Amino acid sequence: MSAVSPAPPVVSKTDVERRAEILRKALKGLGTKEADIIDVLTTSWTAKRQAIAAAYRAAYKTDLLEDIKSDTSGDFRKVLKALSQAPEVNDAKTLHHAVKGLGTDEDTILEILCTRTNEELNKTSNAYFSSTFLVFLAQSL
């Protein structure tokens, strides 16, 4: 018997645009309103965060990820970047950092490779090649 996944909730265009506006106000101007950024990104599921990023780009002609990079720092920036990217892109970048340079971070590699479905791993592999590093994931591992 196979498990049935529930359909993701419908993404409301007005809600997405409203959340993009909240992010813009939180990132621009004097100071960064961290609580607003956290609220928007952590209360939205993955597909909705991607829709918010697209609405942000359409409304403000700038990339949400770039604005996050320029207005935040440290671990807070890392978490926000991860939340604002597609999961497979984040996994691809995380795997790249785990294998580059001297030594490898086996714990990170195992965490990703052993906890993702085949479909998720295929998406990660495609993201690793196409948008990230132009080498196949299997070649890097």
Side-chain angles (χ1 to χ4, degrees):
M1 202 180 213
S2 65
V4 177
S5 298
V10 176
V11 178
S12 161
K13 183 178 178 183
T14 55
D15 183 48
V16 166
E17 290 169 348
R18 181 181 59 79
R19 287 172 179 262
E21 182 180 359
I22 292 169
L23 285 174
R24 179 65 174 191
K25 288 178 181 176
L27 289 166
K28 293 301 167 192
L30 225 57
T32 302
K33 296 174 188 74
E34 294 176 358
D36 289 345
I37 298 168
I38 292 167
D39 182 55
V40 169
L41 294 179
T42 61
T43 61
S44 303
W45 67 95
T46 303
K48 191 171 192 175
R49 285 194 304 267
Q50 299 308 302
I52 292 167
Y56 189 95
R57 188 173 27 263
Y60 306 109
K61 309 298 184 240
T62 184
D63 188 62
L64 175 61
L65 188 56
E66 292 304 316
D67 284 353
I68 286 172
K69 286 179 188 177
S70 69
D71 286 14
T72 60
S73 62
D75 290 338
F76 184 60
R77 176 190 291 168
K78 288 179 187 177
V79 170
L80 295 179
K81 284 171 47 179
L83 286 170
S84 63
Q85 298 173 0
E88 60 269 14
V89 173
N90 186 55
D91 281 353
K93 289 181 179 183
T94 301
L95 284 168
H96 177 71
H97 290 292
V99 299
K100 78 174 187 177
L102 294 174
T104 58
D105 182 352
E106 289 89 2
D107 290 340
T108 298
I109 296 167
L110 289 172
E111 168 83 22
I112 292 173
L113 296 181
C114 294
T115 61
R116 304 304 189 261
T117 65
N118 285 339
E119 180 182 352
E120 290 167 333
L121 288 173
N122 284 332
K123 287 180 180 180
T124 297
S125 181
N126 290 337
Y128 193 94
F129 177 81
S130 64
S131 67
T132 317
F133 308 106
L134 298 178
V135 296
F136 292 104
L137 177 59
Q139 292 173 317
S140 294
L141 300 174

